[in-house]
Amino acid sequence: MKKTKSATLERKKEIITALEDFGLNLYEQMEKGVFPSIKMPSRSIENIHYSSDLRQYVLGERAVRRSARNIRHIRPFTQLVWAAYFAHELAKHRKTSTLRDVYYSAQAYNMSFKDQPESNNIITDLETVSGFAREDFNVFPEERSAIFGDLTIEYTVPGYEGKQLNLTSHPDGVMIGPALTSAEFAKTGADKVIAIEKGGLFTRFVEEQVHKKFNALLVLTAGQAPRATRHFIHRLNKELNLPVSIFTDGDPWGMHIAMVIISGSANAAHLRGLATPDAKWSGVWASDIVEYKLPSDPLTDIDVKRLYELQKDPRYEGKLWQKEAKKFLKIRKKAEQEAFSRYGLTYIVDEYLPAKLEAFEKS
Amino acid sequence: MFKRFLGAHPENDKRKTKSNHSIYHVVSRGDGWAVVQSFEQISAADFFYRNRDLAGFTNPTRAIFSSLRELVENSLDAADQSGIPSDVYIRLSYDHERVVKEADEVKSKDENLFDNDVNSSEPKVYRLRVADNGSGVPARHIPSAFGQVLFGSKYKLKQARGTFGLGGTMALLYGQITTHKPAFVVSSTGGARIYMYKLVVDIQRNRPIIMDRKLLLNKEGWRGTIVEFSLEGDYAKAMSRILEYLKQTALVNPYANITFIDPKGRLYRFSRVTTKMPPPPKETKPHPYGIDVETIQRLIRITPCRNMIDFMRNHFHRVGEKTAHNFLESAGIGKTRTPKRLSQEGIVRLVKMMKRFRAFLPPDASCLSPIGEELLKAGILKELKPEFIAICQRQPSTYSGHPFIVEAAIAYGGEIQGKNDIVLYRFANRIPLLYDEASDVSWRIIKRINWRRYKVTTGMPIAILVHICSTKVPYKTVGKEFIADRPEVKREILNGIREAARQLQHFLTKREHVEKERRRLSTFSKYLPKIARFSTELAGKEKAPNIKKLLSSVRKYEEN
Ligand SMILES: Nc1ncnc2c1ncn2[C@@H]1O[C@H](COP(=O)(O)OP(=O)(O)OP(=O)(O)O)[C@@H](O)[C@H]1O
Ligand SMILES: [Mg+2]
């Protein structure tokens, strides 16, 4: 595991260099007496394609040019340069920030953004020109999810360098925040990862010792998984070779939470390392609702509409996805993860989970 | 046919039996009795006394407004006449004498009687005094000028504010019937004497009755006229109109000093900004296109000419030797015929041919006195204080043989307030027209223009001014409040406003451009230095790149 350690530090260095090069390029253009400009891949919808090789969305060939010569570009251009400068400061001083924080920090440089979306968009521009995710620049989202299980990590954040922590040390789980995201993996006894959509079930699993019984790391996605969490799952899968299974509510929205962890989203087509193509959606499936006779609710019109959309989505080409989408539409029912409580509090852990994990191993 | 006749029958039309013109009839009643209606004739003064609405004396509010404006307009005319910039002094006060008398009668102990609040609105008795530095009235004409309606010096073919020989006398007549007091007129033409008259109008006879007459020695060589009389009115209600009237009058007469002291003793002063006056109008002869049978008959009666060529040349506007020949030839009228020998049919034919003949020259504008671009600009600047003024003076034109000139202006920005509706100022022969705006031809024209074409949007601070001057302004009433829809006049007004609107559009477009360019430059000079600064920091350089050249290149690029 020594290898990963240097990899994290290496990456930090790469990022700093990339930002400095970006600045130098602009500097030299101005020295030559020309208006600085940059070229970057276009993020317009026409330029987002699904790559079946990479099993995620990617950006196509199209590029856009931003020039300080253009009156409509100069403001976002300046904001982008500032964002690069700000990210460089964060990296240099090993500080972290959030999107909200970036929005406010700009004001200190007399660089006010009109609103949060504008500043978020500039950060995405920075991701696109540099090819690094904002988490790499130490800019983290507000929402936070958690992890629990037998994994020992080693911090790299200032003041904690070299300190280790076992992620079973707190029963609520450990928050997947900046410190954990940048930590290195020291050792683990787990042989799988179970991602869970809802906090209630996550707590139940901890109480029921699922991590021990199934030798698993439990990750709470808390609804749609934040990018830091998706990146973290990606690392668990890639760096530790752990298979990942995902449990969500049995409805189109739960389905899609699993899908974004697996194949990523179109919004992040310019980035790599957020998707985990080998992860599996393990339930709750439409067929589970029938098989386990789960208490259910009828699908709403919006649910149905969403299902039709998903059926056409290139990420949903796989057999399982098509089958389950069809099944939802057939039975016109949906069920939450908590529906298993009908058979007693431990049923989901004693009966359902083993069956599902067994099926997963076989697949 | 018979039915229609019945329709016009006085018995079937109550309005007609009421009016005292000469409707008379013997009515047969079912029982065989016949009633003979009485006939009478009334004087012009009596007619206007009965129909004072026609002249703008509808109610106490309107009456006080109309009295003031009629006298002010006479004063302005008199000054124009003498070619000296006007000084008009107007004082409106409570008629104390009257109040005291009434107070005695009711033995009121109210101490605050004189502290009448002008804001409490009810008709009161006022004393109006208007003094000017105009031409003065020749002594022998003073009584008739002010004590007889349809008597005046402005029936000539030459532009003036007054036209009907009615306004001033109507004001005095109104004062007389509401207060039963005589009026005072003091005037001098600058000679050795000043004449002072105390008079009332004999309404039934339309004649002045002189109650007193004094002669004063004019040691200082004063010239001008002072009129003072009492009248009932409602100043509280009329105040805003009166002030608006004076302001607009000052606007189109920027060479006039107008002073107004209102009943509360408040002083309003509209000072001249120039002593330059529009060139005075010259009196003209009638134009052949505007002629009628009656006019020809009068001309024939007085003409010394012995043949038709001379007759045409001497009595008509812009008819020379050649035109006279051509006309008479094409009309088939003998050139050597003696005018006085023309038969009635011959006169009717002459008028008909005159209207039909295409080659008469259009009337020239020497009888008109438009304000002119320079003075109009000065007036607008002084009273409206806008940021921008567009003015269009149209070429002289004619309707039914009457020459007229339209001047249109648009003022924008500055102290002009943005309103939801367009603000229109209407003027005719340098008189502001305040009432019945919606009936005016200009108003309708403005409503029909697509203002967005000229970049004008609702709420924009703009005011539109339309001035028409003519020997015969096509007023719809003797109250001089609004202009009738004559197609020729309409076209000129429309074109005038359009031209001014185009100028405004240019101005707005140019300003938009300048504003856009200013914003553009400020955007560059705001952001480029920042790009330089952050790039320098990122690159780890000591010195920022020189961006001065880049900044100046943006500017240069836009200038050409
Ligand atoms: N202030 C004055 N100075 C000199 N002449 C005056 C003055 N006021 C009135 N007059 C003379 O008295 C005449 C009658 O005035 P009046 O106002 O009744 O009629 P008008 O001005 O001719 O026409 P209108 O009815 O249109 O006002 C005028 O034509 C003018 O000759
Ligand atoms: Mg008059």
Side-chain angles (χ1 to χ4, degrees):
Chain A
M1 285 215 168
K2 202 83 195 119
K3 208 180 105 241
T4 57
K5 196 169 198 165
S6 55
T8 310
L9 288 176
E10 202 87 324
R11 199 170 166 81
K12 291 274 168 225
K13 239 187 244 150
E14 261 176 56
I15 290 161
I16 289 187
T17 317
L19 292 171
E20 288 173 353
D21 287 348
F22 173 71
L24 187 61
N25 176 15
L26 302 180
Y27 183 90
E28 281 169 352
Q29 292 186 58
M30 282 182 275
E31 273 291 284
K32 269 190 246 154
V34 298
F35 279 91
S37 69
I38 49 163
K39 228 172 145 177
M40 62 177 171
S42 158
R43 289 201 311 277
S44 68
I45 301 175
E46 308 88 71
N47 201 38
I48 297 177
H49 311 292
Y50 185 71
S51 156
S52 33
D53 286 354
L54 292 172
R55 290 189 287 173
Q56 74 157 82
Y57 280 107
V58 294
L59 296 180
E61 294 294 298
R62 261 208 234 178
V64 291
R65 218 179 116 81
R66 293 270 174 82
S67 169
R69 179 72 190 82
N70 186 320
I71 189 75
R72 280 188 308 276
H73 289 175
I74 190 162
R75 179 180 147 95
F77 192 102
T78 312
Q79 289 170 333
L80 177 61
V81 183
W82 171 79
Y85 163 79
F86 186 70
H88 187 261
E89 290 290 291
L90 286 177
K92 212 166 72 185
H93 300 112
R94 315 195 68 184
K95 291 263 162 50
T96 62
S97 181
T98 62
L99 287 174
R100 194 78 189 136
D101 196 30
V102 167
Y103 171 68
Y104 284 118
S105 300
Q107 296 177 3
Y109 295 88
N110 203 1
M111 285 289 315
S112 303
F113 289 103
K114 155 166 107 252
D115 49 22
Q116 184 73 55
E118 189 184 30
S119 105
N120 292 357
N121 196 40
I122 291 299
I123 292 298
T124 311
D125 277 351
L126 185 60
E127 290 180 333
T128 314
V129 278
S130 68
F132 290 102
R134 61 170 180 255
E135 290 80 4
D136 290 324
F137 305 126
N138 285 359
V139 177
F140 288 89
E142 225 60 56
E143 341 82 69
R144 294 202 174 157
S145 52
I147 181 166
F148 182 89
D150 180 19
L151 170 66
T152 303
I153 54 98
E154 188 176 314
Y155 289 108
T156 63
V157 289
Y160 287 81
E161 292 105 330
K163 257 190 207 163
Q164 298 204 335
L165 180 77
N166 184 274
L167 300 183
T168 49
S169 47
H170 188 79
D172 285 344
V174 177
M175 180 191 285
I176 306 178
L180 201 54
T181 309
S182 61
E184 291 175 353
F185 301 152
K187 67 173 192 276
T188 183
D191 61 13
K192 63 175 80 63
V193 176
I194 301 175
I196 302 138
E197 177 185 344
K198 283 189 167 155
L201 198 64
F202 176 77
T203 308
R204 170 83 42 79
F205 277 20
V206 173
E207 284 165 5
E208 295 300 325
Q209 308 270 312
V210 168
H211 57 290
K212 272 195 191 144
K213 284 181 192 156
F214 298 94
N215 209 18
L217 296 176
L218 307 178
V219 175
L220 167 65
T221 68
Q224 191 63 261
R227 280 172 37 166
T229 308
R230 277 148 60 196
H231 179 56
F232 201 76
I233 294 173
H234 171 89
R235 283 185 62 201
L236 291 174
N237 178 251
K238 276 273 137 55
E239 293 176 25
L240 300 178
N241 274 319
L242 302 180
V244 179
S245 68
I246 307 159
F247 284 93
T248 65
D249 280 345
D251 59 29
W253 315 99
M255 245 174 135
H256 200 61
I257 288 172
M259 180 55 84
V260 170
I261 293 171
I262 296 168
S263 293
S265 62
N267 289 341
H270 57 293
L271 295 173
R272 304 287 175 269
L274 291 181
T276 309
D278 289 328
K280 291 269 160 17
W281 179 42
S282 300
V284 175
W285 297 344
S287 37
D288 294 340
I289 299 176
V290 181
E291 200 175 315
Y292 292 88
K293 298 191 177 62
L294 294 178
S296 60
D297 292 314
L299 291 181
T300 63
D301 290 349
I302 303 167
D303 293 333
V304 172
K305 197 172 148 251
R306 182 68 180 149
L307 278 165
Y308 284 127
E309 273 169 25
L310 295 183
Q311 280 184 320
K312 278 181 248 143
D313 190 311
R315 289 169 292 181
Y316 281 78
E317 265 165 13
K319 231 165 63 196
L320 171 73
W321 300 104
Q322 287 296 326
K323 189 185 105 211
E324 290 303 324
K326 216 181 276 167
K327 190 100 184 181
F328 273 120
L329 286 170
K330 190 170 158 227
I331 62 174
R332 297 262 157 182
K333 281 177 187 164
K334 60 181 178 183
E336 293 185 291
Q337 294 178 314
E338 292 87 339
F340 286 99
S341 303
R342 152 183 206 175
Y343 301 113
L345 286 180
T346 61
Y347 180 86
I348 187 168
V349 176
D350 295 342
E351 301 291 332
Y352 179 73
L353 199 55
K356 280 285 171 179
L357 290 177
E358 199 179 316
F360 179 47
E361 254 148 54
K362 277 195 207 137
S363 71
Chain B
M1 269 320 266
F2 183 64
K3 260 216 165 131
R4 204 178 292 162
F5 172 72
L6 267 186
H9 196 285
E11 266 305 288
N12 292 317
D13 189 340
K14 289 275 157 29
R15 279 169 297 137
K16 285 213 169 157
T17 43
K18 258 191 202 156
S19 97
N20 282 274
H21 291 289
S22 37
I23 302 291
Y24 43 87
H25 209 81
V26 178
V27 183
S28 297
R29 293 195 338 192
D31 54 13
W33 283 88
V35 177
V36 178
Q37 291 204 333
S38 61
F39 312 147
E40 59 183 314
Q41 186 186 20
I42 63 164
S43 74
D46 204 356
F47 174 78
F48 284 108
Y49 159 68
R50 294 166 196 235
N51 299 290
R52 43 193 178 274
D53 290 15
L54 292 178
F57 292 78
T58 321
N59 54 50
T61 309
R62 217 25 219 283
I64 199 161
F65 170 82
S66 294
S67 300
L68 186 141
R69 74 166 270 195
E70 291 296 350
L71 296 190
V72 168
E73 282 159 22
N74 284 350
S75 291
L76 292 170
D77 269 343
D80 278 0
Q81 184 96 33
S82 60
I84 286 172
S86 327
D87 269 307
V88 185
Y89 170 91
I90 311 150
R91 192 185 67 202
L92 188 66
S93 50
Y94 296 113
D95 194 338
H96 285 183
E97 193 192 321
R98 167 81 168 219
V99 174
V100 171
K101 229 170 95 195
E102 275 175 3
D104 283 350
E105 275 165 17
V106 294
K107 302 227 160 24
S108 164
K109 285 187 189 94
D110 191 345
E111 307 244 302
N112 289 330
L113 199 62
F114 294 109
D115 199 20
N116 264 338
D117 185 2
V118 277
N119 297 322
S120 79
S121 183
E122 59 183 71
K124 294 187 181 73
V125 175
Y126 295 95
R127 203 151 174 83
L128 175 63
R129 176 187 173 98
V130 176
D132 65 55
N133 63 340
S135 58
V137 188
R140 65 179 187 287
H141 292 315
I142 292 175
S144 293
F146 293 95
Q148 185 175 339
V149 302
L150 307 186
F151 179 96
S153 58
K154 304 172 197 166
Y155 295 123
K156 304 183 178 92
L157 286 178
K158 142 176 154 177
Q159 175 186 329
R161 294 174 185 76
T163 33
F164 304 114
L166 183 68
T169 312
M170 269 311 283
L172 267 52
L173 190 149
Y174 181 84
Q176 178 181 322
I177 60 175
T178 52
T179 67
H180 314 290
K181 287 171 41 171
F184 291 88
V185 179
V186 181
S187 191
S188 173
T189 51
R193 296 217 163 79
I194 297 173
Y195 300 86
M196 216 161 132
Y197 281 88
K198 182 174 170 186
L199 47 87
V200 293
V201 185
D202 179 342
I203 295 173
Q204 271 191 349
R205 293 228 205 78
N206 187 23
R207 274 211 319 242
I209 299 171
I210 298 163
M211 304 187 66
D212 194 9
R213 179 174 180 246
K214 275 191 194 123
L215 290 182
L216 300 171
L217 278 181
N218 190 10
K219 277 188 213 137
E220 327 239 292
W222 175 72
R223 194 182 58 189
T225 305
I226 301 168
V227 179
E228 183 171 332
F229 67 105
S230 296
L231 78 165
E232 199 179 88
D234 191 339
Y235 178 69
K237 275 201 190 132
M239 182 166 109
S240 63
R241 289 277 180 154
I242 288 176
L243 295 178
E244 185 61 30
Y245 170 82
L246 293 175
K247 173 182 156 165
Q248 291 189 28
T249 301
L251 191 159
V252 276
N253 300 276
Y255 49 87
N257 269 338
I258 302 171
T259 309
F260 173 50
I261 297 166
D262 88 349
K264 271 222 143 173
R266 285 176 289 213
L267 171 83
Y268 298 89
R269 194 173 159 82
F270 302 84
S271 304
R272 69 171 60 97
V273 286
T274 173
T275 51
K276 221 167 165 181
M277 297 172 71
K282 293 197 193 87
E283 195 182 334
T284 56
K285 303 167 202 162
H287 191 276
Y289 290 151
I291 220 76
D292 56 20
V293 172
E294 175 62 25
T295 315
I296 298 271
Q297 280 172 339
R298 288 192 197 179
L299 289 172
I300 286 175
R301 231 171 279 145
I302 58 161
T303 189
C305 301
R306 300 265 174 81
N307 63 54
M308 285 307 290
I309 290 279
D310 286 350
F311 179 74
M312 288 304 296
R313 271 181 30 197
N314 281 325
H315 296 287
F316 296 95
H317 184 47
R318 300 208 70 190
V319 178
E321 182 92 33
K322 211 170 128 213
T323 313
H325 272 287
N326 292 344
F327 166 66
L328 292 172
E329 213 148 87
S330 90
I333 296 169
K335 293 173 195 168
T336 50
R337 282 186 67 175
T338 314
K340 290 201 191 291
R341 295 242 180 88
L342 276 179
S343 65
Q344 183 65 20
E345 293 86 65
I347 291 173
V348 172
R349 216 177 87 79
L350 178 64
V351 170
K352 218 158 89 192
M353 295 322 275
M354 275 181 172
K355 292 226 183 333
R356 212 179 280 167
F357 186 64
R358 291 286 116 222
F360 286 124
L361 295 173
D364 71 22
S366 60
C367 55
L368 300 182
S369 170
I371 307 166
E373 204 167 299
E374 188 190 333
L375 287 181
L376 194 51
K377 202 168 230 163
I380 293 172
L381 259 178
K382 144 175 131 92
E383 293 304 327
L384 302 181
K385 300 186 178 64
E387 182 191 338
F388 170 79
I389 303 172
I391 292 180
C392 169
Q393 188 186 81
R394 299 288 303 167
Q395 288 300 311
S397 181
T398 60
Y399 77 94
S400 320
H402 307 294
F404 70 95
I405 290 178
V406 165
E407 293 170 294
I410 299 182
Y412 169 89
E415 289 187 11
I416 294 176
Q417 302 286 313
K419 297 258 170 65
N420 275 336
D421 223 335
I422 283 171
V423 180
L424 169 67
Y425 294 103
R426 297 171 294 135
F427 304 94
N429 285 359
R430 279 180 256 154
I431 301 176
L433 310 181
L434 260 57
Y435 283 89
D436 297 320
E437 177 180 69
S439 315
D440 194 282
V441 58
S442 298
W443 180 252
R444 274 183 259 161
I445 287 170
I446 278 171
K447 284 279 144 185
R448 240 179 291 139
I449 287 177
N450 177 9
W451 284 101
R452 255 175 309 160
R453 258 183 55 191
Y454 302 100
K455 286 190 175 284
V456 174
T457 52
T458 35
M460 246 191 198
I462 78 165
I464 296 174
L465 295 86
V466 176
H467 178 227
I468 165 169
C469 58
S470 177
T471 44
K472 189 171 189 322
V473 175
Y475 291 118
K476 274 199 192 154
T477 65
V478 283
K480 296 180 189 163
E481 293 302 355
F482 58 100
I483 309 289
D485 260 356
R486 298 292 184 128
E488 300 90 341
V489 175
K490 205 157 125 185
R491 193 180 53 232
E492 286 303 307
I493 294 176
L494 178 64
N495 288 337
I497 295 177
R498 278 203 183 133
E499 172 52 35
R502 270 192 291 274
Q503 291 175 35
L504 174 68
Q505 183 194 357
H506 279 148
F507 167 78
L508 292 175
T509 310
K510 205 169 136 203
R511 217 183 48 165
E512 217 171 65
H513 252 79
V514 168
E515 175 61 18
K516 214 167 128 195
E517 174 59 7
R518 198 191 55 71
R519 271 206 310 268
R520 218 180 69 90
L521 286 177
S522 90
T523 303
F524 276 113
S525 41
K526 178 177 172 193
Y527 289 114
L528 257 189
K530 287 187 201 250
I531 295 178
R533 176 188 152 196
F534 296 130
S535 308
T536 309
E537 298 250 7
L538 275 172
K541 299 278 184 184
E542 299 268 286
K543 211 175 101 240
N546 187 356
I547 51 166
K548 264 196 197 128
K549 246 205 265 166
L550 291 181
L551 278 176
S552 61
S553 80
V554 204
R555 188 166 287 123
K556 228 187 280 161
Y557 172 82
E558 274 306 312
E559 269 167 15
N560 48 42

